[in-house]
Amino acid sequence: MSPPPASTEELEQELSAATISKKQLKKDARKAEKARKASEQQQQPPPPPQEEEDDPFAANYGDEEIQSKAISGRSWTDIGDVDETAAGHSVLIRGFAQTIRPVSKKMGFVVLRQRRSTVQCLLVASADAGVSAQMVRFAASLTKESIVDVEGIVTPLKEPRKDLTQLVEIRVSKIYCINRAIPTLPLNFEDAARTKAEFEAAEQKGVPMVHVHQDTRLNYRPIDIRTPANLSIFTIEHHVESKFKEFLFSKNFIGIHTPKLIGGSSEGGASVFKLDYNGQPACLAQSPQLYKQMAICGGFGRVFEVGSVFRAEKSNTHRHLCEFIGLDAEMEIKEHYFEVCDIIDGLFVAIFDHLNEHCKEELEEINRKNPFEPLTYLAQTLKLTYEQGIQMLKEAGTEIEPMGDLNTEAEKKLGRLVKEMYGTDFFILYRYPLAVRPFYTMPCYDDPAYSNSFDVFIRGEEIISGAQRIHTPKLLRERAIECGIDTSTIRSYIESFSYGAPPHGGFGVGLERVVMLFCGLNNVRKTSLFPRDPQRLTP
Amino acid sequence: MSPPPASTEELEQELSAATISKKQLKKDARKAEKARKASEQQQQPPPPPQEEEDDPFAANYGDEEIQSKAISGRSWTDIGDVDETAAGHSVLIRGFAQTIRPVSKKMGFVVLRQRRSTVQCLLVASADAGVSAQMVRFAASLTKESIVDVEGIVTPLKEPRKDLTQLVEIRVSKIYCINRAIPTLPLNFEDAARTKAEFEAAEQKGVPMVHVHQDTRLNYRPIDIRTPANLSIFTIEHHVESKFKEFLFSKNFIGIHTPKLIGGSSEGGASVFKLDYNGQPACLAQSPQLYKQMAICGGFGRVFEVGSVFRAEKSNTHRHLCEFIGLDAEMEIKEHYFEVCDIIDGLFVAIFDHLNEHCKEELEEINRKNPFEPLTYLAQTLKLTYEQGIQMLKEAGTEIEPMGDLNTEAEKKLGRLVKEMYGTDFFILYRYPLAVRPFYTMPCYDDPAYSNSFDVFIRGEEIISGAQRIHTPKLLRERAIECGIDTSTIRSYIESFSYGAPPHGGFGVGLERVVMLFCGLNNVRKTSLFPRDPQRLTP
């Protein structure tokens, strides 16, 4: 049984992966037009406060332009660092104005946010503090999400506030607006940031809450990515990539870069973007496959690459993108492609351990937004043969064509069966039928209907494909022809194996998918900063 | 005065950057055809040695296929680790057969190479050692650059050999050919690897030596990159990138990835590759500029990106590529774009220090191949205004249009003047005329004819461009229109600045250029694994 989607929001987003409603598109277009007009109006400088001349404290507030006029020597404190230890001291901070709350003519609050940290700033008109009623009014007139500088004394909060990360308040002595946001944003930060618990609480009280459509989020991504959950997703993505490189470097791999503009198609198939390259027909690489293999022929021993991968996919699913980041590795093998599996085992266990240890807060933020079960994995990764997998499915009532491939549904089911039986969300399935693998895959020595290949799964979704590759030009050419590839377009690739080529294998992973599945997210668009799918080319 | 090119090889390569001779193209085509035929012939299995059945030691040599049959539990030693400490012990190694030297029917040498390490293997027919005359003949029949396994006892060399990295010899007891190279390679390893000193020694003796044309190298890149100097170049490239990321992460930057497929052109201009994106007109990003700025609007604070950059350049120069790796960074600034310059100062000094400390051997390899002066740089990077630069040139007799840009020649000259006067190959030139900078560059507050921008130079060549960026939508739109950009294609970019946008600045660097200039190389094609220039799309 497939688990039910966790919330209305998720349901909407699942739907949105499959189709963008015309209504939504129109709505977004109206919003965009409104935003454009508002932005033009906003460009008029705000009217100067009438009382400015009468205000002895006029220098303590106002709009300020940052144009590299001078270096004042003042130093700004990160909002995340403003805590009890600074109590009684003056600090200078800059942030997005998340909340503006006037209380009276003489008092008001502004909450500033920097990355995932928020702090409350209190303005109280007082001649002693150099704060005028005009200054309080100025603060009240700020628009949400404007960039604001505040100087003031740090004071502990009387009681902790669940909606703020910092347990102190700043008694404002100076406040400047650095860059004003338009008054009506096309997407409200609070709506974008609202957590599952907040939705449920509102529902219980019968208060209607805005559910932000996935496409609206993506259309106004510079606002959407300000939310704590989204900042956390991209921080985790950074960590996955860093750990990938660090681990492989420690195992004697070096990082390379291979061309994305290539003649011919990298691995055949229809899903390739074509273009004109100074008069020559060219296409965008669907993977660094052929080039990372040529680096191995070049004697590099072990290589990895982190780079853009392009697929002219037509399929609108929750897991396909037309452009994504590939984490690829290729290595000499001495005897057996299990040497590659061993690297994957060590690498991914190291990545998962690292995330659980070093990204606790980020995982909690994501969990608050969309609750998920932590990934379970074994210290030594489970390996099953493809035949064993099929047998497990058969015993559970799902018949699979033994020499065919698993479809998404069968993969999901197998993931659940493996979890029940072995207690892991992460496992390797190896010895796939040759017919379902790319032409450069090495056949099995004992049965050429099978191949020295494997896939790796997280939560029942395939995230890694790998194999031993063919390293002799004769077999490589034969297999390419059998698979219907025009060998003239990959001539230099095939010939590389005539110049002395070590036996080798490797694998490729999609960065966005790893993060999506580790964090239990339901859509790969959530883990791509500016996703590209069959419809979306902007922003 | 421009320094004369150091060697005939360099002269040839300088020429080759400007034009590929038709003669050379034909020659390469002939070579390729020959290689293809040879490769097909080579596919016939080598005739079995006639005496095989009579040889009691037949199991100790022969051709072996690596197809993941079994895991033997044997362990291979890296050739670089085979040294005196292993004397008297048996080791198992795998490498490219660099030299095959039969001495007699009963004795022969094979030199094996793994990455930059080489070791001599000695075969002497002897019943005690399990080595037959047939086995010596088998070794003599190996082709250069074949992949070979050797097992044997480590013995110290009687006297060190300049042409080998390991000071020991292996007395072979077993030898297997894992993958045979064609007998006539299109590019000989020795020719590709020959150093300046070797060329000079040969010249003195009047022995003619093959100078390998740059295009031949690139056509057969999987052989060319096996040379110690080339492996060193790409190792250094890996280190530059790693240090870039490590340093910026330590300064609170996080790594992001932005789309390379975009609607509109990223920064205007003609040099853009166009393509069809599922029915929508699209192009390849000429830089991550607009997207990394949107990440700053998204509250990320400080970001960097390492990724592919595409320029449909028509210019065939030593420093332009159609595809290269951009190292980009963008950060909030509090007051002044010198905050960005400070990051660059710390970052590049850290990178240069790291290379000098951790890549000594690699730098020596490159220096042996093409001698160069080590880069001189100051602990605190020199900053000069553009006007000061122009004044220095004027005083040295070169007149520059004060509101124009520096051409390549003037940049080179300024580099020499700065080196003479300040003793550094690395400096920042800032406050460029606004007219020569992109539309998103912030004008100077005191004179809008100038801009808050800078370039950074290594050895008189520009490698980094950076600036404070405009962060208000009104000015940004105005400047885009003034620069002739169709603002409808960058609407979401401009609108991002209406939603609350912090003041910010950043910079971009070409990875290949940094390595080229640090290592005193004369052509950026040498630092790109599979370079793309106006003609070259393959391999």
Side-chain angles (χ1 to χ4, degrees):
Chain A
M1 199 192 83
S2 163
S7 72
T8 321
E9 189 199 18
E10 290 193 8
L11 237 183
E12 281 183 5
Q13 288 165 3
E14 292 244 327
L15 286 168
S16 81
T19 161
I20 303 172
S21 79
K22 282 194 183 164
K23 206 169 143 189
Q24 185 60 35
L25 283 173
K26 274 191 195 157
K27 208 166 145 189
D28 284 349
R30 276 199 304 274
K31 269 194 189 169
E33 181 54 23
K34 209 165 148 185
R36 199 189 55 75
K37 280 191 186 151
S39 125
E40 278 181 357
Q41 282 161 12
Q42 181 262 328
Q43 295 323 311
Q44 312 305 324
Q50 290 169 346
E51 303 89 336
E52 199 170 327
E53 282 175 35
D54 309 320
D55 185 357
F57 302 126
N60 292 345
Y61 62 96
D63 285 272
E64 196 166 273
E65 264 180 34
I66 304 296
Q67 209 178 348
S68 304
K69 288 191 191 73
I71 298 165
S72 68
R74 293 177 302 164
S75 93
W76 276 257
T77 305
D78 274 354
I79 291 179
D81 295 335
V82 179
D83 58 19
E84 294 91 337
T85 62
H89 292 93
S90 181
V91 291
L92 171 62
I93 59 171
R94 178 173 297 169
F96 290 86
Q98 181 167 311
T99 321
I100 296 115
R101 192 154 55 87
V103 176
S104 70
K105 283 193 176 176
K106 301 212 153 189
M107 187 175 160
F109 293 98
V110 174
V111 171
L112 292 191
R113 187 189 69 247
Q114 185 180 20
R115 292 183 170 172
R116 292 188 285 110
S117 305
T118 45
V119 69
Q120 177 163 281
C121 307
L122 168 64
L123 290 104
V124 181
S126 134
D128 287 351
V131 176
S132 59
Q134 293 94 316
M135 179 161 157
V136 174
R137 189 151 68 238
F138 169 81
S141 80
L142 289 170
T143 47
K144 281 188 184 182
E145 296 300 305
S146 291
I147 307 299
V148 173
D149 272 12
V150 156
E151 203 177 310
I153 306 286
V154 177
T155 327
L157 275 177
K158 274 164 212 145
E159 41 194 85
R161 290 257 305 272
K162 273 201 299 182
D163 58 335
L164 298 171
T165 63
Q166 304 311 108
L167 304 177
V168 294
E169 188 172 70
I170 296 178
R171 300 286 167 95
V172 180
S173 54
K174 293 180 181 174
I175 184 166
Y176 304 100
C177 185
I178 301 302
N179 197 11
R180 211 167 267 265
I182 48 173
T184 311
L185 293 168
L187 168 60
N188 284 319
F189 175 84
E190 300 89 323
D191 293 337
R194 196 166 290 124
T195 64
K196 179 100 187 288
E198 286 165 354
F199 272 114
E200 284 172 352
E203 210 170 303
Q204 279 190 344
K205 288 184 201 154
V207 182
M209 285 288 174
V210 174
H211 286 267
V212 185
H213 193 277
Q214 173 86 340
D215 275 300
T216 308
R217 290 181 183 274
L218 297 181
N219 289 341
Y220 303 103
R221 199 65 163 155
I223 305 175
D224 183 44
I225 53 178
R226 291 175 196 171
T227 64
N230 276 339
L231 283 174
S232 299
I233 286 172
F234 294 102
T235 304
I236 286 175
E237 206 146 277
H238 167 91
H239 279 273
V240 171
E241 182 180 335
S242 293
K243 195 67 198 171
F244 177 87
K245 290 168 175 163
E246 183 196 311
F247 181 91
L248 291 180
F249 184 60
S250 79
K251 300 289 179 195
N252 258 327
F253 286 72
I254 76 157
I256 59 166
H257 292 284
T258 66
K260 305 308 158 204
L261 286 166
I262 56 175
S265 61
S266 52
E267 299 172 43
S271 55
V272 56
F273 287 108
K274 290 177 182 164
L275 72 157
D276 172 79
Y277 184 86
N278 298 319
Q280 300 178 63
C283 70
L284 295 177
Q286 292 163 286
S287 89
Q289 184 60 37
L290 310 192
Y291 286 89
K292 65 180 178 165
Q293 287 188 257
M294 284 197 268
I296 295 298
C297 293
F300 281 49
R302 296 178 155 198
V303 297
F304 68 81
E305 177 166 13
V306 174
S308 301
V309 171
F310 304 92
R311 306 266 167 97
E313 299 278 1
K314 302 282 181 221
S315 41
N316 255 310
T317 78
H318 77 286
R319 54 187 261 113
H320 287 96
L321 289 171
C322 293
E323 179 180 347
F324 62 90
I325 297 299
L327 307 177
D328 271 88
E330 200 72 22
M331 58 188 267
E332 290 186 15
I333 61 174
K334 298 303 184 191
E335 297 181 312
H336 202 290
Y337 70 103
F338 280 7
E339 296 161 35
V340 180
C341 295
D342 288 345
I343 289 287
I344 291 178
D345 176 17
L347 170 63
F348 278 83
V349 169
I351 290 175
F352 300 154
D353 284 350
H354 176 90
L355 295 181
N356 287 330
E357 197 176 326
H358 297 281
C359 298
K360 276 201 183 73
E361 289 181 17
E362 286 82 1
L363 290 169
E364 280 165 18
E365 290 286 7
I366 297 167
N367 215 319
R368 261 194 287 281
K369 184 85 184 76
N370 292 308
F372 67 92
E373 287 293 315
L375 191 82
T376 56
Y377 55 98
L378 308 173
Q380 168 92 44
T381 303
L382 173 73
K383 277 206 299 271
L384 298 170
T385 65
Y386 183 80
E387 278 180 302
Q388 283 174 304
I390 285 199
Q391 189 57 31
M392 283 172 70
L393 284 167
K394 191 177 181 177
E395 283 164 16
T398 302
E399 282 286 347
I400 301 290
E401 157 61 48
M403 300 318 275
D405 208 347
L406 299 178
N407 61 23
T408 309
E409 201 187 325
E411 286 180 349
K412 276 268 178 207
K413 185 165 183 180
L414 181 60
R416 285 196 296 277
L417 294 171
V418 169
K419 177 124 187 215
E420 279 163 23
M421 198 172 295
Y422 299 96
T424 180
D425 285 317
F426 181 73
F427 67 97
I428 300 177
L429 201 63
Y430 68 99
R431 205 181 148 93
Y432 271 70
L434 184 66
V436 302
R437 309 299 289 199
F439 73 94
Y440 46 76
T441 309
M442 182 66 94
C444 280
Y445 79 100
D446 58 341
D447 184 350
Y450 287 92
S451 63
N452 293 340
S453 67
F454 58 86
D455 275 0
V456 186
F457 293 83
I458 299 186
R459 301 188 200 265
E461 294 197 34
E462 180 254 305
I463 52 148
I464 307 177
S465 262
Q468 181 183 357
R469 327 294 188 180
I470 297 171
H471 57 272
T472 56
K474 184 164 175 277
L475 180 57
L476 191 58
R477 194 176 286 116
E478 281 168 14
R479 286 289 303 141
I481 291 166
E482 278 169 29
C483 292
I485 310 236
D486 175 3
T487 54
S488 73
T489 64
I490 51 169
R491 203 188 64 184
S492 21
Y493 164 69
I494 295 180
E495 278 170 6
S496 305
F497 298 93
S498 315
Y499 311 148
H504 62 288
F507 63 93
V509 196
L511 175 59
E512 294 86 350
R513 279 194 190 171
V514 173
V515 177
M516 167 178 84
L517 291 169
F518 187 84
C519 297
L521 296 166
N522 57 359
N523 195 322
V524 73
R525 290 162 185 79
K526 289 182 179 169
T527 56
S528 173
L529 200 48
F530 297 98
R532 294 292 178 253
D533 65 23
Q535 274 78 48
R536 182 171 290 281
L537 185 59
T538 184
Chain B
M1 201 191 83
S2 164
S7 72
T8 320
E9 188 198 17
E10 290 194 7
L11 237 182
E12 280 182 7
Q13 287 165 3
E14 291 244 326
L15 285 169
S16 83
T19 162
I20 302 174
S21 80
K22 283 193 183 164
K23 206 168 144 190
Q24 185 60 36
L25 284 173
K26 276 191 194 156
K27 208 165 145 189
D28 285 349
R30 277 198 306 273
K31 270 193 190 170
E33 183 53 24
K34 208 164 148 187
R36 199 189 55 75
K37 281 191 186 152
S39 125
E40 279 180 358
Q41 283 161 9
Q42 181 262 327
Q43 296 323 312
Q44 312 306 324
Q50 291 169 346
E51 304 88 339
E52 199 170 327
E53 280 173 38
D54 309 320
D55 185 356
F57 304 126
N60 292 344
Y61 63 95
D63 285 271
E64 195 167 275
E65 263 182 35
I66 304 295
Q67 208 179 348
S68 304
K69 289 190 191 74
I71 298 166
S72 67
R74 293 176 302 164
S75 94
W76 277 256
T77 304
D78 274 353
I79 291 180
D81 294 336
V82 180
D83 58 20
E84 292 91 336
T85 62
H89 293 93
S90 181
V91 292
L92 171 62
I93 58 171
R94 178 174 296 168
F96 290 87
Q98 182 168 312
T99 319
I100 295 115
R101 194 155 54 87
V103 175
S104 69
K105 281 191 176 177
K106 303 210 153 189
M107 186 176 161
F109 294 98
V110 174
V111 171
L112 291 191
R113 188 188 69 246
Q114 186 180 21
R115 291 185 171 170
R116 291 189 286 110
S117 305
T118 45
V119 70
Q120 177 162 282
C121 305
L122 168 63
L123 290 105
V124 180
S126 134
D128 288 351
V131 176
S132 58
Q134 293 94 317
M135 178 162 157
V136 174
R137 191 152 67 238
F138 169 81
S141 80
L142 290 169
T143 47
K144 280 188 184 182
E145 297 299 305
S146 291
I147 308 299
V148 173
D149 272 12
V150 156
E151 203 177 310
I153 305 287
V154 177
T155 327
L157 275 177
K158 275 164 210 145
E159 40 195 85
R161 290 257 305 270
K162 273 200 300 181
D163 58 336
L164 299 170
T165 62
Q166 304 312 105
L167 304 177
V168 295
E169 188 171 70
I170 297 178
R171 299 286 167 96
V172 180
S173 54
K174 292 180 181 175
I175 184 164
Y176 304 100
C177 185
I178 300 304
N179 197 10
R180 210 168 268 264
I182 47 173
T184 310
L185 294 168
L187 168 60
N188 284 319
F189 176 84
E190 300 89 321
D191 293 336
R194 194 165 291 123
T195 64
K196 179 99 185 290
E198 286 165 352
F199 273 114
E200 285 172 351
E203 209 169 305
Q204 280 191 342
K205 288 184 203 157
V207 182
M209 285 287 174
V210 174
H211 286 266
V212 185
H213 193 278
Q214 174 86 340
D215 275 301
T216 307
R217 289 181 182 275
L218 298 181
N219 288 343
Y220 303 104
R221 198 67 162 155
I223 305 175
D224 184 42
I225 53 179
R226 291 174 196 174
T227 65
N230 277 340
L231 284 173
S232 299
I233 285 172
F234 294 103
T235 305
I236 286 175
E237 206 146 277
H238 167 90
H239 279 272
V240 170
E241 181 180 337
S242 293
K243 194 69 199 172
F244 177 86
K245 290 167 174 164
E246 183 196 312
F247 180 91
L248 291 179
F249 183 61
S250 79
K251 300 289 178 195
N252 258 327
F253 285 72
I254 75 157
I256 59 167
H257 292 284
T258 66
K260 306 308 158 204
L261 285 166
I262 57 176
S265 60
S266 51
E267 299 170 44
S271 55
V272 56
F273 286 107
K274 291 178 182 162
L275 71 158
D276 172 78
Y277 185 88
N278 297 319
Q280 300 178 61
C283 69
L284 294 177
Q286 293 162 283
S287 89
Q289 184 60 37
L290 310 191
Y291 287 88
K292 66 180 178 166
Q293 287 188 256
M294 286 197 268
I296 295 298
C297 292
F300 280 49
R302 295 178 158 198
V303 297
F304 68 82
E305 178 167 12
V306 174
S308 300
V309 171
F310 304 93
R311 307 266 166 97
E313 300 279 0
K314 302 282 181 220
S315 41
N316 254 309
T317 78
H318 77 286
R319 54 188 262 112
H320 286 95
L321 289 171
C322 293
E323 177 179 351
F324 61 90
I325 296 300
L327 307 177
D328 271 87
E330 202 71 22
M331 58 186 267
E332 290 186 14
I333 62 174
K334 298 303 183 193
E335 298 181 311
H336 202 290
Y337 70 103
F338 280 6
E339 296 163 34
V340 181
C341 295
D342 288 345
I343 290 288
I344 291 179
D345 176 17
L347 170 62
F348 278 82
V349 169
I351 290 175
F352 300 154
D353 284 350
H354 176 90
L355 294 182
N356 287 330
E357 199 177 325
H358 297 280
C359 299
K360 275 201 183 75
E361 288 180 18
E362 286 83 0
L363 290 169
E364 280 164 21
E365 290 285 7
I366 297 167
N367 215 319
R368 259 195 289 280
K369 182 87 182 77
N370 293 307
F372 65 92
E373 287 292 314
L375 191 81
T376 57
Y377 55 98
L378 307 172
Q380 168 92 43
T381 304
L382 173 72
K383 277 207 298 275
L384 298 170
T385 64
Y386 183 80
E387 277 179 304
Q388 284 174 303
I390 285 200
Q391 189 57 31
M392 282 172 71
L393 283 168
K394 190 176 180 177
E395 284 164 15
T398 303
E399 281 288 347
I400 301 290
E401 157 59 49
M403 299 318 274
D405 208 348
L406 299 178
N407 61 23
T408 308
E409 200 187 328
E411 286 180 351
K412 276 268 177 203
K413 184 165 182 181
L414 181 60
R416 285 196 296 277
L417 294 171
V418 168
K419 176 123 188 217
E420 277 164 25
M421 199 173 294
Y422 299 97
T424 181
D425 285 316
F426 182 73
F427 68 96
I428 300 176
L429 201 64
Y430 68 98
R431 203 179 151 93
Y432 272 69
L434 184 65
V436 301
R437 308 298 289 200
F439 74 94
Y440 46 74
T441 309
M442 182 67 93
C444 280
Y445 79 101
D446 58 342
D447 184 349
Y450 287 92
S451 63
N452 293 340
S453 67
F454 57 86
D455 275 0
V456 185
F457 293 83
I458 299 187
R459 303 188 198 262
E461 293 196 34
E462 180 254 305
I463 52 149
I464 306 176
S465 263
Q468 182 182 357
R469 326 295 188 181
I470 297 170
H471 57 271
T472 56
K474 183 162 177 276
L475 180 58
L476 191 57
R477 195 175 286 117
E478 283 169 12
R479 286 290 301 142
I481 292 166
E482 279 170 26
C483 292
I485 309 236
D486 175 2
T487 55
S488 72
T489 64
I490 51 170
R491 204 189 63 183
S492 22
Y493 165 69
I494 295 180
E495 277 170 8
S496 306
F497 297 93
S498 315
Y499 311 148
H504 62 288
F507 62 94
V509 196
L511 175 58
E512 293 86 350
R513 279 193 191 171
V514 173
V515 177
M516 167 178 84
L517 291 168
F518 186 83
C519 297
L521 296 167
N522 58 359
N523 196 322
V524 74
R525 289 163 185 79
K526 290 183 178 168
T527 58
S528 174
L529 201 48
F530 296 98
R532 293 292 178 251
D533 65 24
Q535 272 78 48
R536 180 172 290 282
L537 184 59
T538 185

